[in-house]
Amino acid sequence: MNFLPDDFAYERTTGSDNDSTEKRVTRILDEINNPYIIQWANSLGFRHLSYVKELNKYAELGTKVHSEIEDILKNINSPFYLTKYETPGAYAFYTWVNDKHKQNKKLKVLEIEKSIIGKYFCGTLDCLMQIDNEVYLIDFKTSNSIGYKYYMQLCAYRYLLILMGYEYPVDKMMILQVDKYNPDKYKEFIIDCKTDSDKIDLMTNAFLELVILSYKLDEVRQFKF
């Protein structure tokens, strides 16, 4: 794994990455064009739907799902009970938790919505969870399509955790896709940090190159032609 020159990371003890001057991981990844988004935007145009309105609608839904999942996570180590939630995505996550319990898996939440800030970029990881004896870095997604940018996002978070010398080394990274409409449907996408180390290094290094490119593009955008 390569490291940016003079890079470092530290844990923000107060506030969050929202008040940081560094770029968010998701913003840096937006430098990459997403063909799926372009196709989706075109399909909305054919149906005479507003791209901005639809994008905001799904963004609000994703935020709501994350908020309700966070509430479940806060109670996951207590005697489990079902609170009334508004989104099927939250119930899909509840289904995932119940399935783990049925498999006799021991779940321990280590971090929820943790802000991590480096010299060049920052982000908020959704969850660090110990499942049996392994530590998982988990990101919750409501998207219909799971692409490589989501994996790069997790690699970026893991990179910052390594730099800050975090006490729980990550064994596996998981994208947990919860269905927006079906409360019983979810899908796991797992990367093993040992067996998939080559892929992880490739995605991490690609992200770091993108960090440099993003800052250079900022300089280019200042030019007046």
Coordinates of all heavy atoms in Angstrom, one line a residue, residues 95-140:
T95 N -33.7 -7.9 9.8 CA -33.7 -9.3 9.4 C -32.2 -9.8 9.3 O -32.0 -11.0 9.7 CB -34.3 -9.3 7.9 OG1 -35.6 -8.9 8.0 CG2 -34.3 -10.8 7.4
W96 N -31.3 -9.0 8.9 CA -29.9 -9.4 8.8 C -29.4 -9.8 10.2 O -28.7 -10.8 10.5 CB -29.0 -8.3 8.2 CG -27.6 -8.6 8.2 CD1 -26.9 -9.4 7.2 CD2 -26.6 -8.2 9.1 NE1 -25.5 -9.4 7.5 CE2 -25.3 -8.7 8.7 CE3 -26.6 -7.4 10.2 CZ2 -24.1 -8.4 9.3 CZ3 -25.4 -7.1 10.9 CH2 -24.2 -7.6 10.5
V97 N -29.7 -8.9 11.2 CA -29.3 -9.1 12.6 C -29.9 -10.4 13.1 O -29.2 -11.2 13.7 CB -29.7 -7.9 13.5 CG1 -29.4 -8.2 14.9 CG2 -28.9 -6.7 13.1
N98 N -31.2 -10.6 12.9 CA -31.8 -11.8 13.4 C -31.2 -13.1 12.7 O -31.1 -14.1 13.4 CB -33.3 -11.7 13.0 CG -34.1 -11.1 14.2 OD1 -33.6 -10.9 15.3 ND2 -35.4 -10.7 13.9
D99 N -30.9 -13.0 11.4 CA -30.3 -14.1 10.8 C -28.9 -14.5 11.4 O -28.6 -15.6 11.5 CB -30.1 -13.8 9.3 CG -31.4 -13.9 8.5 OD1 -32.4 -14.4 9.1 OD2 -31.5 -13.5 7.3
K100 N -28.2 -13.4 11.8 CA -26.9 -13.7 12.4 C -27.1 -14.4 13.8 O -26.4 -15.3 14.2 CB -26.1 -12.4 12.6 CG -25.7 -11.7 11.3 CD -24.7 -12.6 10.6 CE -24.3 -12.0 9.3 NZ -23.5 -12.9 8.4
H101 N -28.1 -13.9 14.5 CA -28.4 -14.5 15.8 C -28.8 -16.0 15.6 O -28.4 -16.9 16.4 CB -29.5 -13.8 16.5 CG -29.1 -12.5 17.1 ND1 -30.0 -11.4 17.4 CD2 -27.9 -12.0 17.3 CE1 -29.3 -10.4 17.9 NE2 -28.0 -10.7 17.8
K102 N -29.6 -16.3 14.6 CA -30.0 -17.7 14.3 C -28.8 -18.5 13.9 O -28.8 -19.8 14.2 CB -31.0 -17.7 13.1 CG -32.4 -17.1 13.5 CD -33.3 -17.1 12.3 CE -34.6 -16.4 12.6 NZ -35.5 -16.3 11.4
Q103 N -27.8 -17.9 13.4 CA -26.5 -18.6 13.0 C -25.6 -18.7 14.2 O -24.4 -19.2 14.1 CB -25.8 -17.9 11.9 CG -26.6 -17.9 10.6 CD -26.1 -16.9 9.6 OE1 -25.0 -16.4 9.7 NE2 -26.8 -16.7 8.5
N104 N -26.1 -18.3 15.4 CA -25.3 -18.2 16.6 C -24.0 -17.4 16.5 O -23.0 -17.7 17.2 CB -24.9 -19.7 17.1 CG -26.1 -20.5 17.5 OD1 -27.0 -20.0 18.1 ND2 -26.1 -21.8 17.0
K105 N -24.1 -16.3 15.7 CA -23.0 -15.4 15.6 C -23.1 -14.4 16.8 O -24.2 -13.9 17.1 CB -23.1 -14.6 14.3 CG -23.0 -15.5 13.1 CD -21.6 -16.0 12.9 CE -21.5 -16.8 11.6 NZ -20.1 -17.3 11.4
K106 N -22.0 -14.0 17.3 CA -21.9 -13.0 18.4 C -21.6 -11.7 17.8 O -20.6 -11.5 17.1 CB -20.9 -13.4 19.4 CG -21.2 -14.7 20.2 CD -20.1 -15.0 21.2 CE -20.4 -16.3 22.0 NZ -19.4 -16.6 23.0
L107 N -22.5 -10.7 18.0 CA -22.3 -9.4 17.4 C -22.0 -8.4 18.5 O -22.6 -8.3 19.5 CB -23.6 -8.9 16.7 CG -24.2 -9.9 15.6 CD1 -25.4 -9.3 15.0 CD2 -23.2 -10.2 14.6
K108 N -20.9 -7.6 18.2 CA -20.5 -6.5 19.2 C -20.2 -5.3 18.4 O -19.3 -5.3 17.5 CB -19.3 -6.9 20.0 CG -18.9 -5.9 21.0 CD -17.6 -6.3 21.8 CE -17.2 -5.2 22.7 NZ -16.0 -5.7 23.5
V109 N -21.0 -4.2 18.6 CA -20.8 -2.9 17.9 C -19.6 -2.2 18.5 O -19.6 -2.0 19.8 CB -22.0 -2.1 17.9 CG1 -21.7 -0.7 17.3 CG2 -23.2 -2.8 17.2
L110 N -18.6 -1.9 17.7 CA -17.4 -1.2 18.2 C -17.5 0.3 18.0 O -17.1 1.1 18.8 CB -16.1 -1.7 17.6 CG -15.9 -3.3 17.7 CD1 -14.7 -3.7 16.9 CD2 -15.7 -3.6 19.2
E111 N -18.0 0.7 16.8 CA -18.1 2.1 16.5 C -19.4 2.3 15.6 O -19.7 1.4 14.8 CB -16.9 2.6 15.7 CG -15.6 2.5 16.4 CD -15.4 3.5 17.5 OE1 -16.2 4.4 17.6 OE2 -14.4 3.4 18.2
I112 N -20.0 3.4 15.8 CA -21.2 3.8 14.9 C -20.9 5.2 14.4 O -20.6 6.1 15.2 CB -22.5 3.8 15.7 CG1 -22.7 2.4 16.3 CG2 -23.7 4.1 14.7 CD1 -23.9 2.4 17.2
E113 N -21.1 5.4 13.1 CA -20.9 6.8 12.5 C -19.7 7.5 13.1 O -19.7 8.6 13.6 CB -22.2 7.6 12.8 CG -23.4 7.2 12.1 CD -23.4 7.4 10.6 OE1 -23.0 8.5 10.2 OE2 -23.7 6.5 9.9
K114 N -18.5 6.9 12.9 CA -17.3 7.4 13.4 C -16.6 8.3 12.4 O -16.3 7.9 11.2 CB -16.3 6.2 13.7 CG -15.0 6.7 14.3 CD -14.1 5.5 14.6 CE -12.8 5.9 15.1 NZ -12.9 6.6 16.4
S115 N -16.3 9.5 12.8 CA -15.6 10.5 11.9 C -14.1 10.2 12.0 O -13.6 10.1 13.1 CB -15.9 11.9 12.4 OG -17.2 12.3 12.1
I116 N -13.5 10.1 10.8 CA -12.0 10.0 10.7 C -11.5 11.0 9.8 O -12.0 11.1 8.7 CB -11.6 8.5 10.3 CG1 -12.5 8.0 9.2 CG2 -11.6 7.6 11.5 CD1 -12.2 6.6 8.7
I117 N -10.4 11.7 10.2 CA -9.9 12.8 9.4 C -8.4 12.7 9.2 O -7.7 12.5 10.1 CB -10.2 14.1 10.1 CG1 -11.7 14.2 10.3 CG2 -9.8 15.3 9.2 CD1 -12.1 15.4 11.2
G118 N -8.0 12.7 7.9 CA -6.6 12.7 7.6 C -6.2 14.1 7.1 O -7.0 15.0 7.1
K119 N -5.0 14.2 6.6 CA -4.4 15.5 6.2 C -5.1 15.9 4.9 O -5.2 17.1 4.6 CB -2.9 15.3 6.0 CG -2.2 16.7 5.6 CD -0.7 16.5 5.6 CE 0.0 17.8 5.2 NZ 1.5 17.6 5.2
Y120 N -5.4 14.9 4.0 CA -5.9 15.2 2.7 C -7.4 14.9 2.5 O -8.0 15.4 1.5 CB -5.1 14.5 1.6 CG -3.6 14.9 1.7 CD1 -2.7 14.0 2.3 CD2 -3.2 16.1 1.2 CE1 -1.4 14.4 2.4 CE2 -1.8 16.4 1.3 CZ -0.9 15.6 1.9 OH 0.4 15.9 2.0
F121 N -8.0 14.0 3.3 CA -9.4 13.6 3.1 C -9.9 13.1 4.4 O -9.2 12.8 5.3 CB -9.5 12.6 2.0 CG -8.8 11.3 2.2 CD1 -9.4 10.2 2.8 CD2 -7.5 11.1 1.8 CE1 -8.8 9.0 3.0 CE2 -6.8 9.9 1.9 CZ -7.5 8.9 2.6
C122 N -11.3 13.0 4.4 CA -11.9 12.6 5.7 C -13.2 11.8 5.3 O -13.6 11.8 4.1 CB -12.3 13.9 6.5 SG -13.5 15.0 5.7
G123 N -13.8 11.3 6.3 CA -15.1 10.5 6.0 C -15.7 10.1 7.3 O -15.1 10.3 8.4
T124 N -16.9 9.5 7.2 CA -17.6 8.9 8.3 C -17.9 7.5 8.0 O -18.7 7.2 7.1 CB -18.9 9.7 8.6 OG1 -18.6 11.1 8.9 CG2 -19.6 9.1 9.9
L125 N -17.3 6.6 8.7 CA -17.6 5.1 8.5 C -19.0 4.8 9.2 O -19.3 5.3 10.3 CB -16.5 4.2 8.9 CG -16.0 4.3 10.4 CD1 -16.8 3.4 11.3 CD2 -14.5 3.9 10.4
D126 N -19.7 3.9 8.6 CA -21.1 3.6 9.1 C -20.9 2.8 10.4 O -21.6 3.1 11.4 CB -21.9 2.8 8.1 CG -22.4 3.7 7.0 OD1 -22.3 4.9 7.1 OD2 -22.9 3.1 6.0
C127 N -20.1 1.7 10.4 CA -20.1 0.8 11.5 C -18.8 0.0 11.5 O -18.3 -0.5 10.5 CB -21.3 -0.1 11.5 SG -21.4 -1.3 12.8
L128 N -18.3 -0.2 12.7 CA -17.2 -1.2 12.9 C -17.9 -2.2 13.9 O -18.4 -1.8 14.9 CB -16.0 -0.6 13.6 CG -14.9 -0.1 12.6 CD1 -13.9 0.7 13.4 CD2 -14.2 -1.2 11.9
M129 N -17.9 -3.5 13.5 CA -18.6 -4.5 14.2 C -17.7 -5.8 14.4 O -17.1 -6.2 13.4 CB -19.9 -4.9 13.6 CG -20.7 -5.9 14.4 SD -22.3 -6.4 13.5 CE -23.2 -4.9 13.7
Q130 N -17.7 -6.3 15.5 CA -17.1 -7.6 15.7 C -18.1 -8.7 15.6 O -19.1 -8.7 16.3 CB -16.4 -7.7 17.1 CG -15.6 -8.9 17.3 CD -14.8 -8.9 18.7 OE1 -14.4 -7.8 19.1 NE2 -14.7 -10.1 19.3
I131 N -17.9 -9.6 14.6 CA -18.7 -10.7 14.4 C -17.9 -12.0 14.8 O -17.0 -12.3 14.1 CB -19.3 -10.8 13.0 CG1 -20.0 -9.5 12.6 CG2 -20.2 -12.0 12.8 CD1 -20.5 -9.4 11.1
D132 N -18.3 -12.6 15.8 CA -17.5 -13.7 16.4 C -16.1 -13.0 16.8 O -16.1 -12.1 17.5 CB -17.4 -14.9 15.5 CG -18.7 -15.7 15.6 OD1 -19.5 -15.5 16.5 OD2 -19.0 -16.5 14.7
N133 N -15.1 -13.5 16.2 CA -13.7 -13.0 16.5 C -13.1 -12.2 15.4 O -11.9 -11.8 15.5 CB -12.8 -14.2 16.8 CG -13.2 -15.1 18.0 OD1 -13.6 -14.5 19.0 ND2 -13.1 -16.4 17.8
E134 N -13.9 -11.7 14.5 CA -13.4 -10.9 13.4 C -14.0 -9.5 13.4 O -15.2 -9.3 13.7 CB -13.7 -11.6 12.0 CG -12.9 -12.9 11.8 CD -13.2 -13.5 10.5 OE1 -14.4 -13.6 10.1 OE2 -12.2 -13.9 9.8
V135 N -13.2 -8.5 13.1 CA -13.7 -7.1 13.0 C -14.1 -6.8 11.6 O -13.3 -6.9 10.7 CB -12.6 -6.2 13.5 CG1 -13.1 -4.7 13.4 CG2 -12.3 -6.4 15.0
Y136 N -15.3 -6.3 11.4 CA -15.8 -5.9 10.1 C -16.0 -4.4 10.0 O -16.5 -3.8 10.9 CB -17.2 -6.6 9.9 CG -17.2 -8.0 9.5 CD1 -16.8 -9.0 10.4 CD2 -17.5 -8.4 8.2 CE1 -16.8 -10.3 10.1 CE2 -17.5 -9.8 7.8 CZ -17.1 -10.7 8.8 OH -17.1 -12.1 8.5
L137 N -15.5 -3.8 8.9 CA -15.8 -2.4 8.6 C -17.0 -2.5 7.6 O -16.9 -3.1 6.5 CB -14.6 -1.8 7.9 CG -14.7 -0.4 7.3 CD1 -15.2 0.6 8.3 CD2 -13.4 0.0 6.7
I138 N -18.1 -2.0 8.1 CA -19.4 -2.2 7.3 C -19.9 -0.8 6.8 O -19.9 0.2 7.5 CB -20.5 -2.9 8.2 CG1 -19.9 -4.2 8.8 CG2 -21.7 -3.1 7.4 CD1 -20.9 -4.9 9.8
D139 N -20.4 -0.9 5.6 CA -21.1 0.3 5.0 C -22.4 -0.1 4.5 O -22.6 -1.2 3.8 CB -20.2 0.8 3.8 CG -20.6 2.3 3.5 OD1 -20.5 3.1 4.4 OD2 -21.0 2.6 2.3
F140 N -23.5 0.6 4.9 CA -24.8 0.2 4.5 C -25.2 1.0 3.3 O -25.0 2.2 3.2 CB -25.8 0.6 5.7 CG -25.4 0.0 7.0 CD1 -25.0 0.9 8.0 CD2 -25.4 -1.3 7.2 CE1 -24.6 0.3 9.3 CE2 -25.0 -1.9 8.4 CZ -24.6 -1.0 9.4

